[in-house]
Amino acid sequence: MISEKMGKALNEQLKWELYSGYLYLSMATYFKDRGLDGFARWMEVQALEELSHAMKFYSYLNERGFKVDLQPIDGPPTTWDSPVAVFEHVLEHEQHVTKRIHDLVDLAIEERDHGTNNFLQWFVGEQVEEEASAAEVLNKVKLVQDGGGLYLLDRELGQRLFNVPPDVTILNTGAK
Ligand code: FEO
């Protein structure tokens, strides 16, 4: 069993994950409306990921015998000033979600609820990825907005491979 307080906090996070999906679907719609199907696709996949996060909370609460109590979900914004503004919002939103997950971990530790702490650790790792991927796209969109040349050059430089010259030993394996 989990405590009433822990269950309610996880139930609230379930709502936040659903809201995240709603937010990203709204962003997908914003891009669709501008003919930017690639951006829209990225957001649609992001929305599906959020739904899968919500389902993790849903399943965990059921597993622990806590009755899920679905809450009303706020309507997301429907427009932004620019693609950069959209991705600034994504990064800001993910940073907020990270804080929420960390608060949940703090509560689990405070309650010595090791099962819930263990469950939440997946989300701790996931949030590191979520923030990194939002920051990466935001940076690329900014580079493109600044003329696109730097973005193209960055892609080219990123192709560089290290070819080991035949007469150079990098690792000494100790083998004779
Ligand atoms: Fe479920 Fe993007 O955090």
Side-chain angles (χ1 to χ4, degrees), residues 13-111:
Q13 187 58 28
L14 163 54
K15 182 187 83 173
W16 266 89
E17 300 294 344
L18 289 172
Y19 174 75
S20 300
Y22 222 34
L23 174 65
Y24 294 137
L25 213 47
S26 182
M27 290 172 172
T29 305
Y30 166 89
F31 285 122
K32 275 269 178 206
D33 192 45
R34 281 155 184 78
L36 291 168
D37 286 358
F39 280 84
R41 168 81 181 174
W42 193 94
M43 288 297 174
E44 287 162 3
V45 171
Q46 189 70 13
L48 287 172
E49 274 198 15
E50 298 301 349
L51 188 56
S52 75
H53 295 171
M55 291 305 293
K56 277 181 182 282
F57 281 97
Y58 171 84
S59 300
Y60 181 73
L61 284 165
N62 280 319
E63 199 179 352
R64 299 304 301 269
F66 190 91
K67 186 182 178 306
V68 169
D69 185 16
L70 294 174
Q71 301 295 309
I73 302 169
D74 289 340
T78 54
T79 191
W80 290 264
D81 289 340
S82 64
V84 168
V86 175
F87 280 94
E88 281 172 345
H89 191 163
V90 173
L91 181 57
E92 195 179 289
H93 181 74
E94 288 303 334
Q95 287 166 340
H96 178 70
V97 172
T98 299
K99 185 184 175 317
R100 293 189 57 86
I101 296 290
H102 291 181
D103 287 347
L104 289 170
V105 171
D106 288 346
L107 179 61
I109 290 170
E110 189 186 308
E111 295 199 349

Side-chain angles (χ1 to χ4, degrees), residues 115-129:
T116 300
N117 184 12
N118 184 54
F119 163 73
L120 289 169
Q121 288 308 309
W122 183 88
F123 286 93
V124 171
E126 176 68 6
Q127 282 312 118
V128 172
E129 280 182 30

